[in-house]
Amino acid sequence: QVQLVESGGGLVQPGGSLGLSCAASGNSFRIVVMGWYRQVPGKQRELVAEITSGGSTNYAASVKGRFTISRDNAKNTVYLQMNSLKPEDTAVYYCNAEYYSDGYSPRHSWGQGTQVTVSS
């Protein structure tokens, strides 16, 4: 099973920047899509950004122009560069991966989550 390890969360002031990383590890897998989601108490988890192995990206309207998702397929790692952070960006951010292992059906894996707090 693919394991996802996230890093880079923390406290930042409004207008600041923060970078998140997520590395996937395991045996005999091929990642199709990796993405970042976020969740706050009382609200369902929402997609922030995602990227395919071919480099196609998709962003939530609320972060478009401020966040950038990128990947390193050789390292099985996805990154999220967050600029011009706002208090409403405060949430637990989760890494997600859709991948193939030894079957025809894709599987999914989630990271443990990392807290991002934007506050003065």
Side-chain angles (χ1 to χ4, degrees):
Q1 186 175 11
V2 169
Q3 305 291 324
L4 301 178
V5 179
E6 302 148 331
S7 63
L11 175 65
V12 65
Q13 294 186 347
S17 298
L18 201 62
L20 305 180
S21 298
C22 175
S25 63
N27 294 319
S28 301
F29 67 91
R30 179 177 65 85
I31 294 177
V32 180
V33 182
M34 294 189 77
W36 290 96
Y37 293 72
R38 65 187 182 187
Q39 188 170 27
V40 298
K43 188 178 180 181
Q44 64 180 313
R45 190 172 299 182
E46 66 173 352
L47 173 69
V48 177
E50 60 183 2
I51 185 169
T52 69
S53 59
S56 297
T57 59
N58 183 42
Y59 295 90
S62 60
V63 307
K64 193 172 297 183
R66 299 187 297 118
F67 292 9
T68 302
I69 189 169
S70 60
R71 57 157 179 79
D72 186 332
N73 288 341
K75 297 180 179 180
N76 291 314
T77 301
V78 64
Y79 308 93
L80 185 67
Q81 179 62 45
M82 304 182 291
N83 299 323
S84 302
L85 283 162
K86 305 174 181 179
E88 50 263 45
D89 293 319
T90 296
V92 176
Y93 284 70
Y94 296 90
C95 180
N96 173 264
E98 180 179 307
Y99 66 97
Y100 287 93
S101 184
D102 55 359
Y104 292 107
S105 299
R107 300 179 182 179
H108 298 269
S109 184
W110 290 93
Q112 291 295 112
T114 184
Q115 176 70 228
V116 173
T117 302
V118 184
S119 179
S120 298

